[in-house]
Structures are given as structure tokens and as C-alpha cells.
Amino acid sequence: MRNSTSIVIKDSVANGKWLAAAFKALSDSTRLRILRLLAANAAEMCVCEFVDVLQVRQYTVSRALGLLQQAGLVQGQKDGRWVYYSLSNRGDTVVRALYEFVASVSDSDDVFLLDQERFRQRMALREHGRCRVGIQTQDLIER
């Protein structure tokens, strides 16, 4: 007789292949920080906001978001020239548990504390709830 956990996993998108891809995607610190920001803040963010918050180049952020999207962890929604990224598959029990775990990574970690502070500052620049100002960290703008 199967227990309820195995039934949930069987019916879930979180099969073995998906879990392997998800954990592989989260093995990089930039990708983990991106997912943590989205999960901990129940937010959607555009690439330029990630650049300013994480203090990494646009190429690095775009590549990381592409890999997270391939793994099925985030989804992009185009709005004019901006693409906003958010968590995907939130309705699935196992995926939701993974997001909760990532969001619960200790706030006592200096990197995550800095990310959270910069996140609050960057979100304050939004106009009508949307990013309209582009990358603000001049040395991270790719020429």
C-alpha cells in the first residue's frame, strides 16, 4: 500500500528528472540568490532589478534566469520592453515546499541580508508597481 507522500510525488511535476534539474540549477550561488529573492518576497522582478540587487552583470543574471527557467523554477512575463520573472508551478505541493525551503535560508547570512536590503531599496524605485528606470548601478551596465 502506498502512503500519501508517494502519491503526491507521483502526481507532481517533481519527479526524479525535475528534481535533478532543480537541484542542478540551484547549485550556483547567483541562481540560488535569485530564487531566494523571488520566494522570500513573493515578488516578480525584471532583469535590471536583479542586476542592481545582486550586484552582478546583466549577462550573468540573464544566463542564470534562463537556466532557472529551463529547470522549470521561474517563468518570464513580457511587459513592453521589460520581462518580469516570478516563481513557476506554485500550485504543486512539492515545488511549493522547495520554494519555502529556499525562502527560509537563514537571513543571518550576510549575502542574503545585503540582498534583502538592496531589494527593498530597488523596489522603492518602481513606478505604479513596475520597473521603469533600468539598471541603476553604473559600473554594471554593459556597453
Side-chain angles (χ1 to χ4, degrees), residues 18-66:
W18 182 87
L19 281 173
F23 286 125
K24 183 176 180 180
L26 294 176
S27 67
D28 172 75
S29 63
T30 299
R31 295 189 299 260
L32 178 60
R33 289 169 66 201
I34 286 172
L35 199 69
R36 186 179 184 286
L37 280 170
L38 294 174
N41 296 291
E44 65 175 9
M45 296 173 67
C46 72
V47 172
C48 57
E49 290 171 327
F50 284 116
V51 168
D52 286 335
V53 170
L54 302 173
Q55 296 291 291
V56 296
R57 295 221 173 262
Q58 181 178 347
Y59 171 81
T60 304
V61 169
S62 295
R63 181 147 170 75
L65 284 165

Side-chain angles (χ1 to χ4, degrees), residues 11-136:
D11 295 338
S12 151
V13 298
N15 60 34
K17 274 185 166 178
W18 182 87
L19 281 173
F23 286 125
K24 183 176 180 180
L26 294 176
S27 67
D28 172 75
S29 63
T30 299
R31 295 189 299 260
L32 178 60
R33 289 169 66 201
I34 286 172
L35 199 69
R36 186 179 184 286
L37 280 170
L38 294 174
N41 296 291
E44 65 175 9
M45 296 173 67
C46 72
V47 172
C48 57
E49 290 171 327
F50 284 116
V51 168
D52 286 335
V53 170
L54 302 173
Q55 296 291 291
V56 296
R57 295 221 173 262
Q58 181 178 347
Y59 171 81
T60 304
V61 169
S62 295
R63 181 147 170 75
L65 284 165
L67 291 169
L68 288 169
Q69 199 167 15
Q70 280 180 338
L73 294 170
V74 301
Q75 60 190 8
Q77 177 78 26
K78 191 157 177 61
D79 179 17
R81 71 179 202 167
W82 313 99
V83 177
Y84 291 90
Y85 290 88
S86 60
L87 301 176
S88 58
N89 298 318
R90 291 188 214 185
D92 185 272
T93 307
V94 176
V95 176
R96 197 169 47 246
L98 177 63
Y99 293 151
E100 288 171 11
F101 173 72
V102 170
S104 73
V105 172
S106 176
D107 279 330
S108 64
D109 187 315
D110 289 342
V111 172
F112 294 130
L113 281 173
L114 283 171
D115 286 351
Q116 278 303 118
E117 180 56 32
R118 286 191 297 253
F119 171 83
R120 282 191 277 291
Q121 292 171 356
R122 188 59 171 84
M123 291 299 116
L125 298 178
R126 283 187 165 198
E127 298 173 11
H128 306 290
R130 304 309 267 173
C131 175
R132 297 293 183 243
V133 297
I135 298 171
Q136 298 298 294

